[in-house]
């Protein structure tokens, strides 16, 4: 197993209010596992047990594909079409956070908001969750599964009704060494309907995938875990590469993870660090009481860094060239994240 040793850049939480059985979704911009030493209730979550040889097109694991000639043990691939090309990736094709393999959901073009390819006007993104997609979308081209997309699913049995479980997995994308640098969209269903999520390209120059934690209450002794991808939602948008899928009890969740019921977007409120003003316009200042070398990183809404600089005590940034909108930030030292949150430019 590879130990990638990458620190979380920032983390976000989306809380599902009321009596929803999905309690919350947390996303961590990192490659390393969040909880270690857990008893994985899923089988073959790392996609190591397979008859597929890594590569493009040669070995595809969906029966509806003309290229189908292999399988992923314990997983069932449904949907897709004759032209779909879901396959197994290794480290020559994408970043692999665990083991040697990952599952690639290759499936052509996808439409999320209208019949116009690349139209993203309906999408609202909060805490890595995508909302606003209308009925009848996403969908793929004919020959690629259309409304069904390409799905991998596994039914997990032996759950305790009323028990809280955590589904942890890593989501990345095709590297293509630059051209596919835009975020992709995929869906997860743990038994309560689709949740639309983002995936990043995992190119060598910015190889950070996303670690997702989906916390839910079991309503039956068996739950189906299902991942779906419809394809490239724009000309530069990546598709889902999935790895290290694990299901475990809430008691095994790392103690460093915030409580779903109390967490906010500003996960780390470190009073020794001040970022002001908020909202900001032409200038942003970062002040720390810590006389250590720190790094300040500013990200746009699609999780891409727009500014990064190391400093000690005080940093003043000219932000005139940044467009108005919402940004996320993190302040790190050599040991990890000191503070993270959201700021707005007006």
């Amino acid at each position: 197993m590879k130990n990638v040793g990458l620190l979380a850049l920032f983390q976000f939480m989306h809380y599902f209010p009321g009596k929803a059985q999905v309690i919350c979704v947390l996303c961590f911009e990192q490659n390393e596992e969040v909880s270690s030493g857990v008893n994985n209730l899923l089988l073959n979550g790392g996609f190591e047990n397979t008859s597929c040889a890594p590569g493009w097109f040669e070995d595809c694991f969906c029966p509806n594909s003309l290229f189908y000639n292999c399988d992923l043990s314990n997983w069932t691939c449904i949907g897709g079409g004759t032209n779909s090309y879901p396959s197994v990736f290794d480290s020559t094709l994408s970043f692999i956070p665990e083991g040697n393999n990952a599952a690639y959901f290759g499936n052509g073009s996808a439409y999320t908001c209208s019949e116009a390819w690349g139209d993203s006007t309906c999408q609202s993104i909060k805490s890595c969750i995508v909302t606003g997609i209308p009925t009848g979308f996403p969908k793929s081209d004919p020959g690629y599964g259309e409304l069904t997309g390409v799905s991998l699913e596994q039914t997990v049995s032996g759950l305790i009704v009323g028990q809280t479980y955590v589904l942890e997995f890593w989501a990345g994308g095709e590297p293509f060494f630059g051209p596919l640098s835009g975020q992709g969209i995929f869906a997860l269903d743990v038994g309560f309907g689709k949740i639309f999520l983002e995936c990043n390209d995992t190119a060598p120059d910015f190889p950070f995938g996303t670690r997702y934690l989906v916390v839910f209450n079991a309503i039956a002794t068996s739950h189906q875990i299902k991942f779906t991808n419809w394809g490239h939602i724009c000309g530069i948008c990546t598709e889902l590469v999935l790895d290290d899928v694990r299901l475990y009890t809430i008691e095994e969740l790392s103690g460093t993870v915030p409580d779903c019921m109390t967490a906010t977007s500003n996960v780390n409120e470190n009073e020794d660090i001040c970022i002001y003003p908020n909202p900001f316009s032409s200038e942003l200042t970062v002040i720390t009481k810590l006389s250590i070398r720190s790094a300040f990183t500013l990200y746009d809404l699609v999780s891409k860094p727009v500014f990064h600089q190391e400093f000690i005590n005080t940093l003043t940034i000219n932000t005139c060239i940044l467009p108005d909108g919402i940004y996320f930030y993190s302040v790190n030292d050599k040991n990890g994240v000191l503070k993270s949150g959201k700021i707005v430019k007006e």
Side-chain angles (χ1 to χ4, degrees):
M1 179 181 296
K2 297 179 182 178
N3 182 5
V4 295
L6 297 176
L7 298 172
L9 293 178
F10 53 87
Q11 43 191 297
F12 301 118
M13 184 278 300
H14 185 93
Y15 170 57
F16 290 78
K19 297 182 179 180
Q21 299 300 321
V22 174
I23 302 171
C24 70
V25 176
L26 293 123
C27 51
F28 298 75
E29 294 302 303
Q30 67 181 57
N31 293 325
E32 61 185 357
E33 63 187 11
V34 174
S35 300
S36 59
V38 302
N39 176 31
N40 190 4
L41 303 175
L42 275 159
L43 299 174
N44 195 28
F47 308 106
E48 300 301 299
N49 189 0
T50 178
S51 57
C52 302
W56 298 90
F57 293 100
E58 296 91 350
D59 282 21
C60 293
F61 54 72
C62 264
N64 286 337
S65 171
L66 287 174
F67 309 101
Y68 169 66
N69 62 349
C70 63
D71 295 288
L72 299 171
S73 297
N74 308 108
W75 293 91
T76 300
C77 184
I78 62 172
T82 56
N83 297 323
S84 299
Y85 46 95
S87 54
V88 169
F89 274 9
D90 61 13
S91 59
T92 67
L93 297 169
S94 180
F95 185 87
I96 308 295
E98 187 274 332
N100 298 309
N101 296 331
Y104 166 56
F105 289 61
N107 201 43
S109 299
Y111 306 81
T112 56
C113 295
S114 70
E115 299 293 340
W117 186 45
D119 178 13
S120 61
T121 55
C122 67
Q123 298 172 22
S124 177
I125 302 171
K126 182 180 180 181
S127 306
C128 306
I129 292 179
V130 182
T131 58
I133 297 176
T135 302
F137 296 90
K139 68 177 185 179
S140 312
D141 283 325
Y144 293 90
E146 299 183 80
L147 289 177
T148 62
V150 167
S151 296
L152 269 182
E153 61 184 33
Q154 181 176 153
T155 298
V156 183
S157 301
L159 305 182
I160 300 173
V161 175
Q163 170 70 277
T164 302
Y165 293 91
V166 179
L167 179 70
E168 177 179 339
F169 61 92
W170 179 90
E174 305 145 285
F176 260 86
F177 304 98
L180 295 178
S181 58
Q183 269 67 31
I185 293 177
F186 67 99
L188 167 70
D189 188 348
V190 294
F192 310 106
K194 295 183 181 70
I195 302 171
F196 293 104
L197 305 170
E198 289 186 304
C199 58
N200 300 326
D201 73 300
T202 40
D205 57 340
F206 191 71
F208 287 99
T210 303
R211 280 281 174 172
Y212 281 99
L213 298 181
V214 180
V215 182
F216 68 95
N217 289 328
I219 59 171
T221 56
S222 297
H223 271 252
Q224 184 184 80
I225 309 300
K226 182 178 181 179
F227 296 90
T228 305
N229 172 71
W230 286 265
H232 298 276
I233 63 172
C234 72
I236 65 167
C237 293
T238 191
E239 292 186 284
L240 175 64
V241 176
L242 180 70
D243 197 18
D244 202 15
V245 187
R246 295 181 290 155
L247 181 69
Y248 51 87
T249 63
I250 191 68
E251 289 78 14
E252 298 172 281
L253 180 62
S254 169
T256 63
V257 177
D259 191 304
C260 278
M261 303 301 293
T262 60
T264 66
S265 293
N266 293 326
V267 176
N268 192 337
E269 292 291 348
N270 189 330
E271 295 181 355
D272 290 333
I273 301 173
C274 180
I275 292 94
Y276 70 93
N278 188 14
F280 65 97
S281 55
S282 59
E283 195 171 82
L284 187 63
T285 299
V286 184
I287 297 177
T288 77
K289 296 179 182 179
L290 311 171
S291 296
I292 57 174
R293 181 168 294 278
S294 305
F296 177 80
T297 308
L298 195 64
Y299 305 87
D300 64 16
L301 261 181
V302 294
S303 306
K304 289 299 183 184
V306 296
F307 179 87
H308 175 86
Q309 186 171 323
E310 294 186 351
F311 70 103
I312 297 176
N313 295 128
T314 303
L315 174 64
T316 300
I317 307 163
N318 184 333
T319 57
C320 290
I321 64 172
L322 295 178
D324 292 352
I326 297 172
Y327 293 86
F328 300 99
Y329 69 84
S330 68
V331 181
N332 295 57
D333 68 3
K334 64 180 180 179
N335 296 314
V337 178
L338 299 172
K339 186 169 184 172
S340 60
K342 178 176 68 177
I343 51 178
V344 178
K345 183 181 179 185
E346 295 182 344

